[in-house]
Amino acid sequence: MKKLFFALAAMGLFAACTPTPNGGNEGNGDNNGDDNTPVVTNHTFAIEVTATACKADVVVTPETGFTGYYYDNVVSAAKYAELGGTDNAFLAAYIEERTARFESLGYTWLDVVLDADQVDEWTAEGLDPETDYFVVAFGVDKNGQATTGLSKKAFTTGVAKGYDGWFGTFTASTPSSFNMYFDSGLEDLVQEVVNTPKSQPVYIQDAAALLEDPQYAGYAFVWNLTSSFWASTVEGGLAQWDSIYTVAEFNADGELQIMNGDVYTSYQDNAGENVNVTWASFCAITGSTASLNLVNGTYAAHTFAPAVDGVSTSVPYKGSLSGGGSFEVVVYDLFPIWESGQYSFYVEEDAPTYFFYGPITLTKTSDEVVVLEKPADPEEGTEPTAVLSAKGKAKAKATLDKIIASKKNSKSVMQAKNRF
């Protein structure tokens, strides 16, 4: 096994790349507020919205003749009432609130507005089921002063769906693999996409049932969704064999989401530096000098819709970067990430390491979770057990607790897409 380090810019959690907030366009329109006296017009915005239990697909189109910048977002009907309950009162209070929020995150209005010639199509995520919301849109200058009145459209999210059908044994597969190996006397790291299918069993288990605690409802452990190398290696205190897992979350649409940025375990290297072994996304990047890199943030690396006839293929996350360009998740796996801003791959010296590449298809083969943990000493030849040990349960619970706690204060890509 050989380890290769990659240096990263000291930004965010572990990324050389950081997602952008809403738009980030500087624009060339009028009404930019250079003299602090914005021109207020009667222009409006056409709004279309289609909602599920926890998402809303939004399309906002500025009226012909509008110039300058605009901003749109989704707010609950309760928030609208809290901030005045009338269009004029809400708009004044909302702009004041947004200004404070952007400043706290290091953004200005120019970082989040859109140009007049842009149609804004986006998806609001993380909404509450059976709740009343508004899509709101308004013209605004670079100083955060309104240049139009408020346009809004009401909608109500749907009823939450269950997720019981997700638990059991699946076959995870991709038609291609991401291959890494050392060449030229084990000095050069080769990275390539190959037409070699990757397939292996994956076990999805209800966290609340495994830990016998209803507070973990809505979470699942997904066992063995990793490269063949990690699945058979002990490194830095990693669990062995099939007991490596990622934590998945279910949304109100019954979709299973595996998250970027979850720390699986931590250790100190020989120099005493802390290393977080993290479920992270290796992304294809366009418009950047780096064609492949990790992208930080808390976001759903893969989203699986409820299975149809036992089959579901993921939608990998796509996003924009603050420095320009866009990214798409192509590899999701465990990456050791150092506090100093480095990450590494662990690659076998004499054999390629194959990673799942692109959308992952899950095909259900059984309602049972067959293998959770193999014996601590496989040389004894004992059979794998389907019952996680007390020590294994304690580790799984501790990992899940840390993940839940870390999300409470994290600034995420999904928040950025939702306009913070």
Side-chain angles (χ1 to χ4, degrees):
M1 181 268 290
K2 186 165 181 174
K3 177 169 59 182
L4 184 66
F5 289 96
F6 294 81
L8 297 180
M11 301 169 58
L13 176 63
F14 53 81
C17 307
T18 302
T20 185
N22 175 32
N25 304 291
E26 296 191 2
N28 298 306
D30 298 328
N31 299 338
N32 292 338
D34 294 333
D35 58 359
N36 293 319
T37 54
V39 177
V40 180
T41 72
N42 293 322
H43 290 101
T44 60
F45 299 85
I47 300 172
E48 301 174 37
V49 58
T50 303
T52 65
C54 63
K55 300 177 186 178
D57 292 327
V58 177
V59 181
V60 177
T61 306
E63 184 181 35
T64 300
F66 171 74
T67 60
Y69 307 121
Y70 75 98
Y71 177 80
D72 65 270
N73 204 348
V74 168
V75 300
S76 67
K79 171 63 74 173
Y80 178 84
E82 176 188 331
L83 296 182
T86 65
D87 287 359
N88 289 341
F90 169 82
L91 184 57
Y94 187 62
I95 288 178
E96 181 179 353
E97 179 189 82
R98 293 289 86 189
T99 300
R101 175 63 171 163
F102 298 153
E103 289 177 352
S104 73
L105 296 173
Y107 298 125
T108 69
W109 276 95
L110 274 181
D111 293 317
V112 299
V113 294
L114 294 103
D115 287 326
D117 60 356
Q118 291 180 277
V119 174
D120 194 19
E121 298 185 44
W122 63 288
T123 299
E125 302 181 28
L127 306 180
D128 293 327
E130 300 181 79
T131 302
D132 295 329
Y133 288 91
F134 289 109
V135 179
V136 296
F138 52 91
V140 63
D141 70 13
K142 69 178 183 180
N143 299 310
Q145 298 188 60
T147 60
T148 71
L150 183 74
S151 296
K152 70 180 190 295
K153 185 163 187 175
F155 69 93
T156 302
T157 49
V159 178
K161 297 180 180 179
Y163 47 82
D164 289 346
W166 271 114
F167 305 126
T169 300
F170 294 76
T171 297
S173 61
T174 54
S176 301
S177 303
F178 186 68
N179 182 20
M180 290 196 294
Y181 62 94
F182 282 99
D183 198 6
S184 301
L186 301 181
E187 292 300 323
D188 298 326
L189 179 66
V190 177
Q191 301 178 3
E192 60 184 4
V193 179
V194 295
N195 292 323
T196 301
K198 181 173 176 62
S199 177
Q200 64 193 46
V202 169
Y203 320 110
I204 302 177
Q205 188 168 37
D206 183 3
L210 175 65
L211 302 179
E212 302 178 86
D213 191 333
Q215 71 169 314
Y216 299 113
Y219 291 92
F221 293 107
V222 181
W223 309 81
N224 203 38
L225 188 67
T226 184
S227 69
S228 56
F229 171 71
W230 279 114
S232 59
T233 302
V234 177
E235 175 65 40
L238 289 180
Q240 197 173 19
W241 306 103
D242 296 317
S243 56
I244 291 179
Y245 54 82
T246 183
V247 171
E249 302 176 20
F250 296 103
N251 64 26
D253 288 332
E255 295 173 327
L256 181 143
Q257 298 180 311
I258 51 177
M259 308 301 293
N260 184 80
D262 286 348
V263 175
Y264 177 75
T265 191
S266 302
Y267 66 95
Q268 285 191 332
D269 65 9
N270 293 333
E273 185 174 355
N274 291 329
V275 182
N276 290 323
V277 181
T278 305
W279 284 100
S281 300
F282 207 45
C283 300
I285 297 172
T286 59
S288 169
T289 55
S291 59
L292 291 171
N293 211 334
L294 297 185
V295 176
N296 76 334
T298 303
Y299 57 89
H302 288 271
T303 297
F304 296 85
V308 176
D309 296 328
V311 179
S312 178
T313 298
S314 71
V315 177
Y317 189 87
K318 297 179 181 179
S320 300
L321 300 171
S322 57
S326 60
F327 69 94
E328 179 177 358
V329 173
V330 293
V331 174
Y332 175 80
D333 216 289
L334 288 168
F335 293 86
I337 300 167
W338 274 251
E339 286 185 337
S340 59
Q342 293 180 312
Y343 71 92
S344 74
F345 297 105
Y346 290 94
V347 181
E348 295 282 10
E349 295 180 352
D350 56 355
T353 299
Y354 294 102
F355 296 82
F356 288 112
Y357 183 83
I360 300 171
T361 296
L362 294 177
T363 303
K364 194 169 191 179
T365 59
S366 171
D367 289 330
E368 301 296 324
V369 177
V370 179
V371 177
L372 292 182
E373 189 174 54
K374 289 191 176 181
D377 185 3
E379 294 181 359
E380 293 180 358
T382 53
E383 291 298 317
T385 174
V387 179
L388 191 63
S389 66
K391 182 178 180 180
K393 281 187 180 182
K395 181 183 184 301
K397 181 180 184 302
T399 299
L400 182 52
D401 285 340
K402 288 180 181 179
I403 289 171
I404 293 172
S406 70
K407 294 184 189 305
K408 291 182 179 179
N409 297 314
S410 68
K411 176 188 147 189
S412 73
V413 175
M414 294 174 76
Q415 288 174 317
K417 287 199 70 172
N418 282 342
R419 282 54 173 171
F420 315 107

